[in-house]
Amino acid sequence: MALAFDLDELVGRAREGQHRAVARLISLVEDANPRVADVARALTPFTGNARIVGLTGPPGVGKSTSTSALLTALRAAGKRVGVLAIDPSSPFSGGALLGDRIRMTEHATDPGVFIRSMATRGHLGGLSWATPQAVRVLDAAGFDVVLIETVGVGQSEVDVVKLADTTVVLLAPGMGDGIQAAKAGVLEIADVFVVNKADREGADATVHDLKQMISLARREIRGPSWRQPIVPTVASTGQGVDDVVGALDAHHEWLVTHEELPRRRAARARDEVEAIAVRRLRAELADLRHGDRLAGLADRVVARELDPFAAADELIEDLRR
């Protein structure tokens, strides 16, 4: 991608609601353009207003359908909504497979909606490494709510809690290991539970199991805490979706009242700064790997002239010079 572009003009057009400018900015950060730091610097003064909602859960629970239904409800409430649908990477191009965006075509012509599919590109945890920067773009572009739908990788899909103000965990009846998957990691990150496909047999049992698990977990919590609601929905028909919006609003109010929102956002900023620093250090390490220094240290370890920890210390010293 060409480096010659007027960044201030691009940011200005994005803030005016021009979707092409928003898409261009996200492409710049997703492709790790050399000016990505300039992009973040230009956008940061305009951020901090969007509510970030993450949707996650085991595969097959209807995350895309639920995202689309939630998008419809938020638009009916007059909210401008940005959606980041994290898709698996294509094994050929490395790009997103676009499955989620295809399922949201009914919103494609709505000027108050922006939908972007992003590839994981091998990043674990259900998100793309560029997701925080894409969120910054949508926030600066004036979207009231940003929905992040994770890729659907099951138990490891917990990174979204580091990025979202409110995390929605979706489950569905009849999935067998749905609750077990949640117990392994996803359960702990939920601010709101949604039992989708609630018209199916076993929905009441799923709700009951969740209530029991939440009750057991709360016994270990001291002091005031958020009580995770469980909202049954049938996303394909819109049933219960307004209740989900109500639960999101209630959680946001709780975050503000208990000063939890700034704490979460500060933690998010720490994680982002650390991720950027680690990425840059890895790039520097890759430069050393392609040179003679790392190969020489490895040879000395093989020859037992150095232990691997001492070799690593020397490598770190090289990075600090």
Side-chain angles (χ1 to χ4, degrees), residues 101-177:
R101 188 160 58 181
I102 289 172
R103 286 191 286 272
M104 298 181 200
T105 51
E106 63 185 284
H107 304 287
T109 60
D110 186 343
V113 173
F114 179 89
I115 301 171
R116 177 67 172 248
S117 292
M118 299 181 68
T120 57
R121 300 190 181 185
H123 186 83
L124 299 178
L127 297 180
S128 159
W129 79 268
T131 306
Q133 298 301 325
V135 169
R136 176 172 283 107
V137 172
L138 295 176
D139 190 359
F143 288 95
D144 301 302
V145 180
V146 177
L147 302 178
I148 305 170
E149 181 196 330
T150 63
V151 69
V153 293
Q155 297 180 12
S156 64
E157 193 176 313
V158 297
D159 278 1
V160 69
V161 74
K162 300 178 181 178
L163 190 56
D165 299 326
T166 301
T167 301
V168 178
V169 171
L170 291 101
L171 297 168
M175 296 191 62
D177 63 348

Side-chain angles (χ1 to χ4, degrees), residues 69-318:
L70 187 55
L71 178 51
T72 299
L74 290 169
R75 286 298 293 142
K79 304 293 186 183
R80 292 186 67 220
V81 186
V83 179
L84 297 175
I86 314 302
D87 283 337
S89 301
S90 164
F92 302 103
S93 67
L97 295 181
L98 306 182
D100 295 303
R101 188 160 58 181
I102 289 172
R103 286 191 286 272
M104 298 181 200
T105 51
E106 63 185 284
H107 304 287
T109 60
D110 186 343
V113 173
F114 179 89
I115 301 171
R116 177 67 172 248
S117 292
M118 299 181 68
T120 57
R121 300 190 181 185
H123 186 83
L124 299 178
L127 297 180
S128 159
W129 79 268
T131 306
Q133 298 301 325
V135 169
R136 176 172 283 107
V137 172
L138 295 176
D139 190 359
F143 288 95
D144 301 302
V145 180
V146 177
L147 302 178
I148 305 170
E149 181 196 330
T150 63
V151 69
V153 293
Q155 297 180 12
S156 64
E157 193 176 313
V158 297
D159 278 1
V160 69
V161 74
K162 300 178 181 178
L163 190 56
D165 299 326
T166 301
T167 301
V168 178
V169 171
L170 291 101
L171 297 168
M175 296 191 62
D177 63 348
I179 299 292
Q180 295 301 318
K183 287 169 62 177
V186 179
L187 178 69
E188 291 84 354
I189 71 172
D191 296 307
V192 176
F193 284 105
V194 170
V195 177
N196 190 32
K197 306 179 183 180
D199 53 343
R200 291 187 177 181
E201 184 179 355
D204 291 341
T206 302
V207 171
H208 179 266
D209 289 346
L210 277 174
K211 286 181 177 179
Q212 281 195 319
M213 294 173 65
I214 292 171
S215 177
L216 290 172
R218 284 188 60 81
R219 293 178 185 177
E220 302 177 1
I221 299 175
R222 297 180 179 179
S225 62
W226 168 251
R227 293 181 179 272
Q228 301 148 304
I230 302 171
V231 185
T233 66
V234 182
S236 59
T237 65
Q239 178 182 331
V241 176
D242 287 340
D243 294 332
V244 177
V245 174
L248 296 179
D249 290 341
H251 184 250
H252 181 74
E253 183 178 350
W254 182 88
L255 290 173
V256 173
T257 301
H258 291 80
E259 298 185 351
E260 178 70 8
L261 186 60
R263 190 198 68 78
R264 290 194 179 194
R265 291 186 172 181
R268 179 193 310 168
R270 289 195 298 270
D271 288 338
E272 184 178 7
V273 170
E274 180 182 353
I276 292 170
V278 168
R279 187 175 178 84
R280 289 182 174 178
L281 288 172
R282 283 176 176 168
E284 293 184 28
L285 188 59
D287 290 340
L288 290 175
R289 179 184 292 274
H290 294 302
D292 296 331
R293 180 58 170 154
L294 183 57
L297 288 170
D299 289 341
R300 292 175 65 190
V301 170
V302 172
R304 295 186 294 280
E305 297 174 8
L306 278 179
D307 64 82
F309 289 92
D313 288 340
E314 291 193 25
L315 192 61
I316 290 171
E317 286 300 316
D318 288 345

Side-chain angles (χ1 to χ4, degrees), residues 18-59:
Q18 297 185 28
H19 284 196
R20 290 185 64 182
V22 174
R24 178 79 186 280
L25 286 169
I26 292 179
S27 293
L28 290 173
V29 301
E30 192 171 20
D31 296 338
N33 186 280
R35 292 190 63 186
V36 66
D38 295 331
V39 172
R41 190 176 302 114
L43 293 173
T44 295
F46 307 110
T47 59
N49 299 311
R51 289 168 54 182
I52 316 301
V53 178
L55 294 97
T56 189

